[in-house]
Amino acid sequence: MGGFNKSGVTRRDLFKFGGIAAAGVMGASALSACSPNESTATAGTATAANEGTTTAAGHTRTGLPSFLQAPEPITDIAETKEFDVVVVGAGAAGVPAALSAAEAGAKVALIQKEATAISQGNTGSGIDLTKSDPADVQNLVSVLIEEGQHRTKRELLELWAQHGGEAVKWVIERSAESGGPIIDQGSQQQAATIAKNGWTMEFVTSFAGPKPLTAGDAMRALAETAEKEGVEIFYSTPAEQLVKDGDAVTGVIAKGSNGYIQFNASKGVIIATGDYQNDEEMSSYYLPDLANFTRKQMNKTGDGHKMVIWAGGAMEPINHTKMLHDFDAGPASMCDMPFLAVKNNGARFVNEVVEMSLLNNYLRSAEDQGWYSQVFDANYMEQAADWPGKLYSPEELALYMPEEDADRDGVFKDLIRTFKADTLEELAEKLEITDTAAFVATVERYNELVASGADEDFGKPSQYLKPIDTPPYYGIHRWLRVSALCSGVQVDENHQCLNTEGSPIAGLYAIGNCSGEFYGGVDYPMTIPGLSLGRCYTEGYLVGRTVGAL
């Protein structure tokens, strides 16, 4: 056997792929070669080379990560069902995909491991091409690619840019048919970005709300519309393995209440299972910097990523993009305003012009865990009048203040954390600052810098240096948590999954946060509010229609 290991891959091949990540690629890609020609679930086992614990550069791992090792094939099938298209995952990408495929004339099954459709967030955006300059649209695509550190696949962004307005409008209309709490806000949320860049551009922007209503409520209504169009929805039916005939994917096996069901798909399987934030092993492997951050969601365990990998697919080979923010402690429109920012220990830690989407990189420690506070005084309405964003008056801020008697419509009541106080010491207590003296000293030092007109500590531009010396003092205690992980398996411009050699896998598609290379940066860019949901709606709408019409 010489230079071959048990998987049949040479040492030279291993070095070409690179380390243990390559071992994962080998373990997954070798599966199809072991499969008989007839229809069978993909399978595989770990090799002896994957055993043992290694520690290097602070990373400890025991063998090959389990999510890269395919399970044994499921053979005890209790029932087989025949469909044209099978969509796995009833979320912001999956529900639109199922409905769109049905509109294209396909017989569609929608499989969901939860008891209902699930989605988060409120806003989904797409460009209204009839009111936008084509060159400006392309400039926006280039801006988003730059924010992805030029690791984004332009073809995928183009799908959203050229079809997003149409798709979001369709989602709004079809969800509203079944009572979805969703409206079109036009370009209201993108106005600042449009003005800043001087673009001629308009948006279609779905808003599902107000809070505590979310896009989940809109997707549940859209699922009702899908059922009216003939989509068969199987809730509480988690998908576990894909079915292959040779190299092609021909169906999926899911666990029903009476045993395993094999859903055959004559046209294609569309994976729309969301991200992997709740799979600790996957998160530790791809995003170890998230070790001390709390997750906002539940049951996001990378089911689709794993099934695609086991079927011969590949994860995108770049750093994975994460989304951490807090739009609930105080007004979302004030989250990027450069007010003084302090950690829970009372210390200043950043040039406050850094956007909230990036602040998690400063708050990764076990001590910080994503907590920080924005601090300002009674003069903030005048001081920040010309800053980017939208200020809330003291009367409007009351909505986010748990100590105030206010109508709580439009917020999550248990997440609001905005406070005011007559002294800095009192404010520190309300913000749960652990070192009050340090906090007071930070404010005093900040005021000295303001008076000098130059930030010698962090270099914040002078136009954003405003004193904090007039009570009442205000603070917004924000908590950055994982909202979504925005990276996944490799796909082509049609969202067909690619194998480890870069060739399309027949019959297999991935959309939404299960698919990769739409982003590429360290963190999700918030240049265009609603990009995440808008992207999911668009991919579901387009891919469902395309596969349904095959």
Side-chain angles (χ1 to χ4, degrees), residues 381-395:
M381 289 297 291
E382 295 78 26
Q383 292 174 342
D386 59 350
W387 291 4
K390 177 184 179 298
L391 288 168
Y392 274 53
S393 68
E395 293 74 24

Side-chain angles (χ1 to χ4, degrees), residues 96-112:
L99 175 57
S100 184
E103 288 183 348
K107 181 181 179 183
V108 182
L110 175 59
I111 304 171
Q112 168 75 333

Side-chain angles (χ1 to χ4, degrees), residues 99 103 165-180 182-184 204 206 221-222 225 541:
L99 175 57
E103 288 183 348
E166 172 190 354
V168 174
K169 183 175 184 292
W170 173 81
V171 166
I172 293 170
E173 292 174 348
R174 300 243 61 187
S175 177
E177 289 177 18
S178 296
I182 188 167
I183 61 172
D184 182 2
V204 179
S206 65
L222 192 66
T225 300
Y541 172 72

Side-chain angles (χ1 to χ4, degrees), residues 328-342:
D328 299 305
S333 63
M334 295 172 65
C335 70
D336 283 341
M337 289 187 162
F339 298 113
L340 171 66
V342 300

Side-chain angles (χ1 to χ4, degrees), residues 116-127:
T116 185
I118 299 290
S119 186
Q120 293 78 36
N122 300 92
T123 300
S125 64
I127 301 170

